[in-house]
Amino acid sequence: MDDLATLTTSGTERLRDAPDLDALHEAEADLLGKKGELASLKKRLSGLDPDERRATGQALNEARTVLEEAAAERRAALESVAHQARLLAERQDLTEIVEHRRRGSLHLVTQTWDRLVDVFVGMGFEVAEGPEVETDWHNFEALNIPSAHPARGMWDTLYVDLGAPESTLLRTHTSPVQIRVMSEGEPPFYSVMPGRVFRRDTADASHMPVFHQIEGLVVDRGVSFADLAGTLEAFTTAYFGGAIHSRLRPSYFPFTEPSAEYDINCVFCEGSGCRTCAQTGWLELGGCGMVHPNVLTNVGLDPEQWSGFAFGFGLDRLALMRHGVDDIREMYTGDVRFLEQFPA
Ligand code: PHE
């Protein structure tokens, strides 16, 4: 009985003082295990007479209960400490990033897109968009470019392996959105159509296989070439400021007749001649012209009643010119040193 009392006292102490769960586990095995100290005391019961054996047996059971309770209590305490430690280790200090927070900004292309749309909306245009994967009909056929037409060579086309061969493609310009606007609505139309376009081009300083255009379309009664020239001039001064003006040069597009190139005064020398404009004082921005009667007929409009003009120019090119960037690839490498120069 004395040995049992000593074991209970020292055992309880050992369990209560176990520094961690491993030590606790070890102490439990030593005290309460099959080959533990309590078990070896129990073996000595056989040497006692029946009365003593009963009393001692009972004391042994009580001692076991005391030790087991001490172990359970210590385990709960240690587990709670471990849990707290884990919570602490996994804690995310959400205030930490405040100091390092950097504000992003819209990409230069997006900024340009938004500004252009703003100017045209201010002039009374609506905004329309079309799909980037187009049918041959919308991208070419309806625009008065039949399949064998040599003008197809003007656009290096990326075809999509879908349906009949060469029936589906990545749009090579935003002009197919003209077709969609005219087929889906009723005239008059005053629409601008910004979007991403694709061409089978190798990337270099002035080309990207993916770039952006903005298309303009006006169809109404009695629209003239003077309206086209006036609209582009009004846009030019609104967008670039009063010092920059526009001019139109004769050109050819299958979907406009007559057609023209749309030039603006060089934004660097304002027309006096410099390296960027090859001393001409002019920069080429895009194409335009009066909507071809065949195009109107293709979308079910009577060219005797309706006339209109269209224009289209490169959005990335415009941004490059405006900011004096000399390589279009800068727009698409995602280099923050480039991007952070255009905060907005
Ligand atoms: N879609 C033509 C191009 O990509 C530009 C253009 C648009 C020309 C509208 C005339 C009228 O080159």
Side-chain angles (χ1 to χ4, degrees), residues 155 173 175 178 199 213 215 253 255-256 287-288 310-312:
W155 298 275
H173 49 178
S175 299
Q178 286 184 35
R199 291 192 194 169
Q213 288 187 330
E215 189 89 7
F253 294 100
F255 34 91
T256 45
C288 62
F311 56 85

Side-chain angles (χ1 to χ4, degrees), residues 76-326:
L78 286 173
E79 276 173 352
S80 148
V81 168
H83 184 65
Q84 290 302 324
R86 221 183 65 216
L87 285 185
L88 218 61
E90 290 175 356
R91 194 172 77 147
Q92 302 270 358
D93 183 357
L94 297 178
T95 60
E96 193 175 56
I97 41 175
V98 169
E99 285 164 38
H100 310 295
R101 185 170 60 189
R102 274 168 57 178
R103 187 153 181 221
S105 63
L106 294 176
H107 191 274
L108 183 53
V109 170
T110 312
Q111 291 180 38
T112 308
W113 175 309
D114 289 348
R115 279 210 62 203
L116 288 168
V117 166
D118 272 357
V119 172
F120 282 113
V121 166
M123 291 166 71
F125 284 79
E126 288 181 0
V127 184
E129 285 183 43
E132 292 173 354
V133 179
E134 261 298 6
T135 64
D136 176 82
W137 165 258
H138 290 90
N139 196 84
F140 289 127
E141 200 86 19
L143 288 163
N144 201 32
I145 319 169
S147 59
H149 200 288
R152 287 218 174 186
M154 290 170 78
W155 298 275
D156 291 311
T157 310
L158 289 159
Y159 289 94
V160 175
D161 191 4
L162 186 78
E166 305 202 345
S167 62
T168 314
L169 45 81
L170 297 181
R171 65 178 179 194
T172 59
H173 49 178
T174 42
S175 299
V177 192
Q178 286 184 35
I179 301 302
R180 293 191 175 270
V181 166
M182 289 190 283
S183 330
E184 287 159 22
E186 290 296 321
F189 300 108
Y190 291 81
S191 299
V192 281
M193 299 144 268
R196 188 150 52 161
V197 300
F198 308 83
R199 291 192 194 169
R200 209 180 58 235
D201 264 332
T202 305
D204 64 25
S206 50
H207 295 86
M208 278 295 293
V210 182
F211 58 104
H212 300 81
Q213 288 187 330
I214 186 162
E215 189 89 7
L217 173 73
V218 167
V219 175
D220 207 335
R221 295 181 200 275
V223 176
S224 74
F225 198 92
D227 295 320
L228 167 60
T231 302
L232 288 177
E233 174 64 13
F235 161 73
T236 306
T237 52
Y239 185 78
F240 290 98
I244 305 296
H245 296 279
S246 61
R247 76 170 181 189
L248 300 179
R249 268 183 303 124
S251 185
Y252 171 77
F253 294 100
F255 34 91
T256 45
E257 181 60 34
S259 301
E261 297 293 332
Y262 159 46
D263 296 345
I264 59 165
N265 282 134
C266 176
V267 292
F268 299 106
C269 63
E270 297 197 347
S272 55
C274 68
R275 216 169 52 96
T276 309
C277 59
Q279 310 303 329
T280 62
W282 294 96
L283 295 172
E284 193 181 307
L285 216 57
C288 62
M290 302 307 291
V291 179
H292 197 290
N294 289 353
V295 174
L296 293 173
T297 308
N298 285 339
V299 295
L301 294 175
D302 179 359
E304 298 297 327
Q305 280 195 55
W306 302 100
S307 61
F309 63 77
F311 56 85
F313 53 83
L315 202 145
D316 317 70
R317 222 174 108 69
L318 190 81
L320 295 178
M321 285 184 204
R322 216 187 133 94
H323 297 283
V325 179
D326 54 16

